[in-house]
C-alpha cells in the first residue's frame, strides 16, 4: 500500500535485555493493546512500536505528497473547467493528507525536517505506484478508480489503528478519499459511454497499464512480509496484504463490467469454491525493482520534490524573518 | 538561521513552529482540537489552518495556539489524577433510586 516498503525493512530483533521497569511497562502496554485500547502520543510505548509507526506514518505521508505529482501533471491540460476544478481539489486534498500524516508522525518525536530530509535523500520510501507515468487524460480517471480505490481498501482498517493520532488522521483522510474514487470512475464512465472510439481505447489502455501496479500497492504476499505479524499483533495493521488485495480484485471485477473495460489478466476468473476471484501471477520482480528505485519515474519524482524544496527555501526563510521582525517590533512597542 | 540553505534537515532552526488547530464546526458547538500544522506566525497559522482543515466547510471559526504554549497533564499521572473519581458514584444522578412516579427528575 502507501506503506508497502515497510516490508523492505529487515525483520527486527527485539532487545533481549530490558529493565524490570520496562518489562512491567511493556506488559501493561501489551495488555492495553489486547483490550483494544488506543495508545496516545505521550503514553509509554516500546521503542520498536514507536520506530515502526514513525516509519509507517512517514512513508504514508511521503506517498501522499509524491502522489500529487502524477496527477498534477494534468492540471493544466484537463479537458474542461469542471474537470480542472475537480482535479485541483483532489490534488489539494492529497497535500492535505500528507500534512495530517506528517503531524501524526511528529507526535512520536520526529521532526518535519527530519522526515523531509529522509524523503529528499531517497532514504525514505513512498508507494511504488507513484513511480509510473501519467501518459493520457484517462490515467487521471484510472488513478481515481484503481489507485484511490486500492488506497481506500487499505486506509479504512487503519482508522482502527492502535496509535490514536494515526487513526484520527485516517478518519479524516477516508472521509475525503471517497470523492477521489468516485470522480475517477465517473470520468471514465463518461468517456466510455459518451466518448468516441479513440477515447474508449484510451481508457482501456490506461486500465491495461495501471491494473498490475495497483495490485502491487498492497505489498508483497503475506508469506514474504516479514514485519506484518508484529504489526498485526500491535494493532497497527488490521488486515493482511493478500486479504486486502483479494477484496480489491473482487470489487473491481464488477466495476470494470459497469465501465465496459477488460482487466488485463487472462487468468482472472471466479472461483466458486473460494467464493472469490483467482488472478494470474503478479510480477514481483517488477515490484521490487520499482520499490528499490528503478521504476519508470523514480528519478523524476525525487528530482521534482528536491527542486520544490530548494525553490521554496527563500519563501520559508522570508516568512520566518518577517515573523521575527514583527515580534521584535511588538516587543519594542 | 538559514539551515534550509544547507540542504534538507541540515538544522531544525529553519523549521516553522508547530501550532495546534481548534475548529468550531458551527455556532453553538465548542471549538474542537482537530490537528496541528507548521506556520511562521499567528496570521499565517490561521490562514493555513483554514486551507488544511476546513476545505469542506468543516468550520465557522478557527483557533490556533503554539504547541509549546500548551500545558498538559502527565500521562504517567493518569491513574493518580483521574481514577479516584471512579468510586464517587454518588456524583452521578443514576446513583439515586427514586420511586417510579418521580424518577424523571
Amino acid at each position: 500500500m502507501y506503506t508497502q516498503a515497510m516490508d523492505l525493512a529487515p525483520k527486527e530483533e527485539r532487545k533481549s535485555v530490558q529493565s524490570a521497569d520496562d518489562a512491567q511497562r511493556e506488559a501493561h502496554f501489551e495488555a492495553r493493546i489486547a483490550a483494544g485500547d488506543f495508545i496516545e502520543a505521550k503514553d509509554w510505548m516500546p521503542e520498536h512500536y514507536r520506530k515502526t509507526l514513525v516509519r509507517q506514518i512517514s512513508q504514508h505521508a511521503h506517498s501522499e505528497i509524491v502522489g500529487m505529482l502524477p496527477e498534477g501533471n494534468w492540471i493544466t491540460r484537463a479537458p474542461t473547467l469542471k474537470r480542472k476544478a475537480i482535479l485541483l481539489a483532489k490534488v489539494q486534498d492529497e497535500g492535505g493528507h500528507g500534512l495530517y500524516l506528517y503531524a501524526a508522525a511528529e507526535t512520536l518525536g520526529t521532526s518535519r525536517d527530519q522526515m523531509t530530509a529522509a524523503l529528499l535523500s531517497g532514504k525514505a520510501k513512498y508507494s511504488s505506484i507513484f513511480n509510473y507515468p501519467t501518459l493520457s487524460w484517462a490515467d487521471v480517471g484510472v488513478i481515481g478508480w484503481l489507485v484511490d480505490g486500492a488506497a481506500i481498501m487499505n486506509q479504512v482498517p487503519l482508522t482502527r489503528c492502535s496509535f490514536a493520532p494515526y487513526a484520527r488522521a485516517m478518519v479524516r483522510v477516508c472521509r475525503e478519499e471517497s470523492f477521489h474514487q468516485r470522480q475517477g470512475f465517473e470520468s471514465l464512465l463518461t468517456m466510455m459511454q459518451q466518448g468516441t472510439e479513440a477515447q474508449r481505447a484510451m481508457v482501456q489502455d490506461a486500465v491495461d497499464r495501471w491494473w498490475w501496479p495497483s495490485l502491487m500497492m498492497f505489498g508483497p504476499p503475506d508469506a514474504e512480509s516479514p514485519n506484518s505479524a508484529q504489526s498485526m499483533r500491535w494493532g497497527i495493521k488490521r488486515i493482511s496484504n493478500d486479504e486486502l488485495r483479494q477484496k480489491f480484485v473482487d470489487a473491481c471485477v464488477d466495476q470494470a463490467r459497469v465501465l465496459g473495460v477488460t482487466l488485463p489478466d487472462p487468468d482472472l476468473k471466479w472461483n466458486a469454491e473460494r467464493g472469490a476471484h483467482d488472478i494470474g501471477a503478479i510480477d514481483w520482480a517488477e515490484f521490487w525493482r520499482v520499490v528499490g528505485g528503478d521504476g519508470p519515474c523514480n528519478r523524476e519524482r525525487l528530482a521534482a520534490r528536491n527542486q520544490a524544496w530548494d525553490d521554496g527555501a527563500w519563501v520559508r526563510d522570508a516568512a520566518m524573518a518577517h515573523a521575527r521582525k514583527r515580534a521584535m517590533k511588538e516587543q519594542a512597542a | 538561521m538559514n539551515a534550509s540553505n544547507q540542504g534538507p534537515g541540515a538544522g531544525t532552526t529553519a523549521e516553522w513552529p508547530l501550532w495546534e488547530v481548534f475548529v468550531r464546526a458551527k455556532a453553538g458547538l465548542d471549538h474542537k482540537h482537530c490537528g496541528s500544522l507548521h506556520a511562521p506566525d499567528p496570521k499565517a497559522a490561521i490562514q493555513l489552518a483554514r486551507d488544511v482543515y476546513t476545505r469542506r466547510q468543516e468550520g465557522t471559526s478557527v483557533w490556533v495556539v503554539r504547541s509549546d504554549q500548551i500545558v498538559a497533564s502527565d500521562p504517567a499521572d493518569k491513574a493518580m489524577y483521574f481514577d479516584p473519581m471512579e468510586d464517587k458514584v454518588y456524583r452521578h444522578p443514576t446513583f439515586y433510586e427514586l420511586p417510579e412516579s418521580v424518577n424523571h427528575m
Side-chain angles (χ1 to χ4, degrees), chain A residues 42-43 92-93 96-97 99-100 103 106 111-113 117 120 172 176 179 309 313 315-317 319-320 322-324, chain B residues 1-2 4-5 7-9 11-18 34 36-38 40-41 51-53 55-56 58 75:
Chain A
K42 300 281 187 242
D43 293 346
Q92 191 192 19
D93 272 356
H97 297 174
L99 295 180
Y100 308 153
E106 284 173 85
S111 78
R112 180 75 59 91
D113 276 358
L120 298 185
R172 196 175 287 281
E176 298 179 355
F179 133 68
W309 176 262
V315 180
R316 295 190 299 275
D317 291 343
M320 275 313 285
H322 179 68
R324 271 195 303 273
Chain B
M1 279 298 151
N2 281 325
S4 58
N5 293 338
T12 50
T13 47
E15 196 173 86
W16 288 351
L18 194 64
C34 70
S36 45
L37 51 76
H38 289 272
D41 58 42
D51 292 344
V52 177
Y53 290 104
R55 289 195 299 282
R56 290 178 175 77
E58 290 93 336

Side-chain angles (χ1 to χ4, degrees), chain A residues 34-329:
Chain A
D37 263 10
F38 282 109
I39 306 299
E40 291 289 350
K42 300 281 187 242
D43 293 346
W44 186 91
M45 61 186 80
E47 230 9 74
H48 187 38
Y49 178 83
R50 183 186 302 275
K51 262 172 66 182
T52 302
L53 276 164
V54 166
R55 224 171 35 213
Q56 172 158 343
I57 302 172
S58 62
Q59 272 183 26
H60 196 158
H62 297 328
S63 296
E64 301 283 355
I65 297 299
V66 176
M68 297 165 82
L69 296 171
E71 292 179 289
N73 183 34
W74 281 91
I75 289 175
T76 56
R77 292 176 288 164
T80 64
L81 186 57
K82 173 182 136 187
R83 294 290 172 197
K84 186 191 288 229
I86 292 169
L87 186 55
L88 272 170
K90 178 176 190 298
V91 172
Q92 191 192 19
D93 272 356
E94 308 297 3
H97 297 174
L99 295 180
Y100 308 153
L101 288 161
Y102 281 131
E106 284 173 85
T107 66
L108 290 161
T110 183
S111 78
R112 180 75 59 91
D113 276 358
Q114 279 171 327
M115 290 186 276
T116 306
L119 171 66
L120 298 185
S121 70
K123 188 174 144 240
K125 298 295 174 196
Y126 55 86
S127 177
S128 62
I129 195 75
F130 301 120
N131 290 314
Y132 290 86
T134 40
L135 302 179
S136 76
W137 170 251
D139 288 28
V140 172
V142 170
I143 286 177
W145 172 39
L146 294 179
V147 175
D148 292 312
I152 291 170
M153 282 284 169
N154 182 262
Q155 287 171 338
V156 168
L158 283 175
T159 60
R160 293 181 291 119
C161 171
S162 62
F163 184 58
Y166 191 26
R168 284 194 290 267
M170 292 319 300
V171 168
R172 196 175 287 281
V173 168
C174 286
R175 208 181 290 144
E176 298 179 355
E177 198 82 48
S178 164
F179 133 68
H180 297 181
Q181 189 185 19
R182 291 173 69 93
Q183 65 80 32
F185 193 86
E186 191 238 24
S187 162
L188 297 176
L189 198 62
T190 306
M191 285 187 271
M192 291 303 289
Q193 293 185 343
Q194 297 162 39
T196 62
E197 201 46 56
Q199 285 170 322
R200 278 191 286 277
M202 181 171 79
V203 172
Q204 182 61 56
D205 170 66
V207 171
D208 290 347
R209 281 181 291 107
W210 288 94
W211 174 248
W212 291 105
S214 297
L215 296 187
M216 294 175 196
M217 285 177 70
F218 295 93
D222 295 345
E224 292 159 40
S225 184
N227 296 311
S228 278
Q230 179 62 285
S231 283
M232 290 279 226
R233 244 190 329 274
W234 270 338
I236 295 173
K237 193 172 183 161
R238 296 288 187 187
I239 307 180
S240 83
N241 295 354
D242 287 334
E243 215 178 314
L244 283 169
R245 186 164 20 241
Q246 183 70 60
K247 271 177 74 172
F248 177 70
V249 169
D250 291 338
C252 285
V253 167
D254 288 338
Q255 292 162 356
R257 202 170 298 132
V258 172
L259 270 183
V261 295
T262 309
L263 297 174
D265 178 0
D267 297 322
L268 179 69
K269 57 173 180 298
W270 178 251
N271 181 331
E273 206 174 302
R274 287 200 307 122
H277 291 87
D278 291 335
I279 59 169
I282 294 174
D283 183 356
W284 292 112
E286 173 180 325
F287 168 75
W288 290 114
R289 202 164 57 238
V290 178
V291 170
D294 204 17
C297 299
N298 295 54
R299 283 165 206 81
E300 191 183 323
R301 301 288 184 241
L302 216 51
R305 287 314 310 155
N306 271 286
Q307 194 189 342
W309 176 262
D310 293 341
D311 289 354
W314 73 270
V315 180
R316 295 190 299 275
D317 291 343
M320 275 313 285
H322 179 68
R324 271 195 303 273
K325 220 162 107 182
R326 277 185 68 116
M328 270 186 333
K329 243 190 219 160

